[in-house]
Amino acid sequence: MLPIDAAAHSSRWRHRHPLEKAVLGLGLTVLAITLPAWPGAPLVAAATLAVLLGPAGVPVRRLWRAFRLPLGFCVTGAVPLLFRVGGPGGGLVALDPAGPAHATQLLLRTSAASLGLLLFAFTTPVSDVVPRLVRAGVPPAVVDVALVTYRMSFLLLDSVSRVGQAQAARLGHNSRAARWRSLAGLGATAFVRAFDRAGRLQTGLAGRGYDGTLRVLVPATRVSGRFLTATAALLAGVTALTLVLEGLVT
Amino acid sequence: MHIAEGYLPPLHAVAWTAASAPFVVHGVRVLTREVREHPESTLLLGASGAFTFVLSALKIPSVTGSCSHPTGTGLGAILFRPPVMAVLGTITLLFQALLLAHGGLTTLGANVFSMAVVGPWVGYGLYRLVRRLGLPLMVAVFAGAFAADLSTYCVTSVQLALAFPDPGSGVPGALAKFGGIFAVTQIPLAVSEGLLTVLVMRLLSQSSAGELIRLGVFARGNARQDGQQGDEQGQDRQRKRVA
């Protein structure tokens, strides 16, 4: 299992309705990209961190491990904004005087938005979200394919990891040529195993009267009005505080 | 290759979602029709989605000595066709955002457009063109995978340039800036992905001839000409060797 999904399955909010967590997490993400980056993004990030580490109970270390990857993307994505092509000096590339401010704003915005997404991901297993997409208008055939993809991905990742270990044990990573051969073997093995597993699943399901629809038990949960009210209050509070502080700054 | 969550301004995020929507809707229609006609396809398509997800998680050695991930769009388009790849790519990108924190939900439309729409269509188009010219299968596979990878990065560069025009030279300057940064790493990576895809396809043509015929990659009668070992015994032997 992947660390974020494992954390979502053991989350304090595991049994809350995915809609509640979507409104909260994705609402904060939308605020991060729509409010002015300063002071909006730091406020959104602070509110998201408070929810993540407080009521949602996500351990700091797990959060950091998951967050450092998007943070790396945010930093590398902000670097090009420090430079401009051409300029008054006549050089091909020059430092942009307004670059640091733009790069900082972008870094703040993407970091806050990523935290909002992580709030949703750390509290909501994908297996809770996908079957409910039918009610959102996604065709059942696509939802079924997504469910099979989700469940088979973990088995394949595990398979590929074991094959990789076996290749390493047989000196399959010892030279550049061997690494390429091993990598191609890994890709081909993933294909063979995926289709082999699909064939066996098909045989098993056919024996149980498979008619083309995968019936999955979705735990019955109710949308909490109190949770949604609290979420609306938090989102409204962050928006109001941002606009007030922005007014004070300007 | 993934545009991170929150990186694009809201209008751009909405515009790229609208641009990718027709392709995904078309793919959904094709997929729904396929599942209605052949219910067992659900499992094969799910397996294909899982294969795409795992393929994008493999690390390929880059020329600079570091590692990167293949996009998998070229191989996916050759095996499953671009319309289905638009749906499988969207599912894969959604899972990457939720399970790995790669990409994001507000940038999903932009990422789908570059990785699940343009990459597969360009790669598949070139693959078909090279095949029509009568060149060997593996040349077509290399061309398809190389073009799919490179076109994905070109579109990403355009998306970033439109979102963040250069203060001095506007969108063309920003395109040169982002394209220049990508070119250093992505041209070698596109070559690497092309080579890897050829190696994977060679192994698949030996070990999974039946599946490739079923997917329409090889014509039934030409399977032997395409470099496969047709007999069951040979396939089993190769499958064991791959594993």
Side-chain angles (χ1 to χ4, degrees):
Chain A
M1 222 171 195
L2 294 165
I4 294 180
D5 208 42
H9 274 95
S10 54
S11 161
R12 253 184 230 169
W13 285 358
R14 164 77 168 82
H15 299 293
R16 287 205 163 277
H17 197 287
L19 181 69
E20 296 171 9
K21 295 173 278 189
V23 171
L24 177 60
L26 307 183
L28 286 164
T29 299
V30 169
L31 284 190
I33 63 167
T34 49
L35 289 176
W38 180 259
L43 286 174
V44 171
T48 314
L49 275 175
V51 176
L52 270 165
L53 303 177
V58 177
V60 178
R61 187 177 281 188
R62 272 189 176 179
L63 179 63
W64 169 245
R65 279 189 184 160
F67 181 58
R68 63 188 177 186
L69 185 77
L71 185 65
F73 288 135
C74 300
V75 171
T76 48
V79 169
L81 300 192
L82 296 172
F83 302 96
R84 60 187 290 168
V85 178
L92 187 63
V93 178
L95 277 171
D96 178 18
H102 285 152
T104 308
Q105 284 181 0
L106 182 68
L107 192 58
L108 288 172
R109 203 174 68 199
T110 48
S111 303
S114 297
L115 281 172
L117 176 66
L118 283 176
L119 172 56
F120 179 68
F122 261 109
T123 54
T124 318
V126 170
S127 55
D128 281 2
V129 180
V130 175
R132 288 184 166 91
L133 290 177
V134 176
R135 284 187 208 161
V138 179
V142 177
V143 170
D144 281 351
V145 169
L147 269 176
V148 177
T149 298
Y150 170 71
R151 292 180 195 284
M152 215 179 266
S153 291
F154 296 111
L155 296 168
L156 266 188
L157 281 172
D158 187 48
S159 232
V160 163
S161 157
R162 281 164 198 267
V163 173
Q165 283 172 8
Q167 287 175 336
R170 293 177 204 161
L171 308 179
H173 298 167
N174 253 25
S175 64
R176 187 176 276 265
R179 263 200 304 276
W180 277 101
R181 257 198 317 274
S182 299
L183 196 59
L186 264 186
T189 303
F191 180 89
V192 171
R193 296 223 170 157
F195 276 69
D196 180 49
R197 197 172 284 275
R200 282 190 283 131
L201 257 177
Q202 164 65 21
T203 309
L205 286 169
R208 295 173 197 172
Y210 177 59
D211 60 356
T213 311
L214 293 170
R215 289 174 187 83
V216 183
L217 205 59
V218 181
T221 46
R222 285 186 163 208
V223 178
S224 160
R226 281 176 63 186
F227 191 94
L228 285 182
T229 310
T231 299
L234 177 71
L235 298 179
V238 170
T239 308
L241 192 58
T242 302
L243 297 176
V244 168
L245 287 177
E246 194 200 12
L248 289 177
V249 171
T250 54
Chain B
M1 73 188 111
H2 298 73
I3 300 180
E5 181 62 274
Y7 199 85
L8 292 179
L11 268 179
H12 288 250
V14 172
W16 287 114
T17 303
S20 54
F23 296 94
V24 178
V25 169
H26 174 238
V28 166
R29 281 187 180 170
V30 171
L31 187 142
T32 307
R33 197 168 52 233
E34 168 72 19
V35 168
R36 199 179 299 137
E37 288 167 8
H38 308 284
E40 72 278 7
S41 296
T42 303
L43 302 169
L44 288 177
L45 287 164
S48 310
F51 171 66
T52 310
F53 183 79
V54 170
L55 195 71
S56 66
L58 293 181
K59 289 177 181 166
I60 52 175
S62 107
V63 176
T64 51
S66 62
C67 280
S68 191
H69 302 276
T71 61
T73 52
L75 182 59
I78 292 167
L79 292 177
F80 313 121
R81 305 284 186 278
V84 171
M85 253 327 268
V87 185
L88 296 183
T90 305
I91 293 171
T92 304
L93 286 166
L94 180 69
F95 286 172
Q96 283 175 342
L98 292 177
L99 297 170
L100 303 169
H102 278 211
L105 295 183
T106 64
T107 52
L108 185 65
N111 288 329
V112 164
F113 192 79
S114 63
M115 269 182 271
V117 175
V118 174
W121 275 108
V122 170
Y124 188 70
L126 198 63
Y127 165 78
R128 295 294 302 171
L129 181 71
V130 175
R131 286 295 277 162
R132 197 161 282 183
L133 291 174
L135 291 168
L137 172 71
M138 293 308 161
V139 175
V141 168
F142 177 83
F146 175 80
D149 187 299
L150 207 60
S151 60
T152 295
Y153 288 105
C154 288
V155 172
T156 306
S157 300
V158 171
Q159 290 170 332
L160 296 178
L162 288 170
F164 301 100
D166 188 76
S169 48
V171 173
L175 190 58
K177 190 165 62 176
F178 287 112
I181 292 168
F182 276 140
V184 175
T185 54
Q186 294 317 321
I187 291 176
L189 274 176
V191 174
S192 300
E193 181 159 355
L195 291 173
L196 176 68
T197 308
V198 167
L199 291 173
V200 171
M201 194 59 114
R202 271 188 63 189
L203 284 174
L204 289 180
S205 66
Q206 293 166 348
S207 66
S208 304
E211 281 87 351
L212 294 182
I213 291 170
R214 190 193 176 286
L215 289 167
V217 179
F218 295 147
R220 195 170 291 274
N222 296 336
R224 196 167 289 274
Q225 288 172 17
D226 283 323
Q228 301 166 63
Q229 296 181 352
D231 62 302
E232 284 290 322
Q233 220 175 359
Q235 285 178 28
D236 285 343
R237 210 167 40 239
Q238 288 299 334
R239 192 172 291 148
K240 279 177 195 160
R241 197 177 297 165
V242 168

